[in-house]
Amino acid sequence: MKDNKEKRKQEETDETSQEDAAEKESVIIEEETAGTDPAEKSEQSELDKVYKELDDVTDRYLRLQAELANIRKRQERERQDLRRFSSQSLAKELIPVLDNLERALTIEADTEAGENLKKGIEMVHSSFLQAFEKEGIEVIDPLGEPFDPNYHEAYTQVPANEGQESNEVAQVFEKGYKLHERVLRAAKVSVTL
């Protein structure tokens, strides 16, 4: 009997110690979760905020870098255009002079002095054309070509002659000029119907 009493005491003690151990463990877990959870949450939220700010700053930095690269490209393109089209205003002023030289060349010379004068005008005219060519200025003389409103200005429409197609340049009243791809003056033309 003594043995049974002792066994029972031992079992009760074991149960009590297991319950105590379980209770202590749950208290420790509660303390760990309860005691450190708000601190961890605040640290985690602060860390998330820092990462978000870092992402925002990185995004802004990359966008500014791209914008800066675009500005540099645009400025370089503008510099190239400035160099390419630097002679545009002078060419526009000289085109009427070239027109007058061409009109002077259409006059017939009767005397030797008139012929010499005409040769001098031809030399000046060819010098003008060479200077224009060096600067990249091309003549638009579209006789017989299809009408293109980007390069031609239609003054009149005329019936098509035999062998001519509709919408073709029949006559050039005034030649046009372009500097590289930019039209300085459109050719003034008549177009077939």
Side-chain angles (χ1 to χ4, degrees):
M1 219 170 220
K2 248 185 178 181
D3 285 336
N4 278 339
K5 280 185 182 181
E6 284 180 27
K7 259 187 184 181
R8 247 192 233 153
K9 265 189 177 180
Q10 185 66 31
E11 284 176 9
E12 284 177 10
T13 310
D14 286 345
E15 284 179 18
T16 308
S17 64
Q18 285 177 355
E19 286 176 7
D20 287 344
E23 197 175 304
K24 284 181 184 177
E25 195 173 311
S26 69
V27 168
I28 291 172
I29 291 173
E30 283 179 22
E31 285 178 0
E32 286 177 355
T33 49
T36 56
D37 192 40
E40 274 186 28
K41 282 183 181 178
S42 68
E43 287 178 11
Q44 186 64 35
S45 66
E46 285 181 35
L47 190 60
D48 288 343
K49 286 179 185 176
V50 168
Y51 279 132
K52 186 171 178 3
E53 285 181 32
L54 179 63
D55 288 344
D56 291 345
V57 169
T58 303
D59 184 55
R60 278 188 278 157
Y61 171 76
L62 292 175
R63 288 178 189 274
L64 287 173
Q65 287 293 88
E67 188 176 334
L68 187 60
N70 288 338
I71 288 170
R72 285 182 183 143
K73 287 177 190 175
R74 187 172 37 251
Q75 285 178 341
E76 181 58 32
R77 193 172 36 247
E78 287 172 359
R79 275 193 295 265
Q80 287 174 352
D81 283 351
L82 186 63
R83 282 192 297 266
R84 248 180 124 192
F85 299 111
S86 63
S87 57
Q88 178 176 339
S89 61
L90 178 62
K92 282 184 176 183
E93 296 295 324
L94 292 177
I95 288 172
V97 174
L98 195 56
D99 289 340
N100 289 334
L101 288 173
E102 288 174 355
R103 284 187 199 99
L105 289 174
T106 60
I107 298 172
E108 292 297 320
D110 299 352
T111 64
E112 188 177 324
E115 284 295 322
N116 289 336
L117 181 63
K118 190 171 181 176
K119 283 182 185 177
I121 293 173
E122 285 173 354
M123 290 170 57
V124 171
H125 180 261
S126 67
S127 294
F128 260 102
L129 291 177
Q130 287 173 356
F132 273 23
E133 189 177 315
K134 284 180 186 175
E135 288 297 315
I137 301 168
E138 299 174 37
V139 176
I140 303 172
D141 192 5
L143 188 61
E145 294 178 4
F147 177 74
D148 183 354
N150 296 316
Y151 297 103
H152 312 138
E153 185 178 331
Y155 268 12
T156 62
Q157 287 188 320
V158 295
N161 292 331
E162 200 172 303
Q164 282 185 324
E165 293 183 20
S166 178
N167 207 31
E168 186 177 295
V169 175
Q171 182 182 1
V172 178
F173 297 114
E174 209 172 58
K175 294 177 185 175
Y177 294 89
K178 65 180 182 174
L179 175 59
H180 303 293
E181 69 276 352
R182 189 178 287 177
V183 175
L184 298 174
R185 183 179 78 184
K188 292 169 178 60
V189 299
S190 65
V191 183
T192 59
L193 295 170

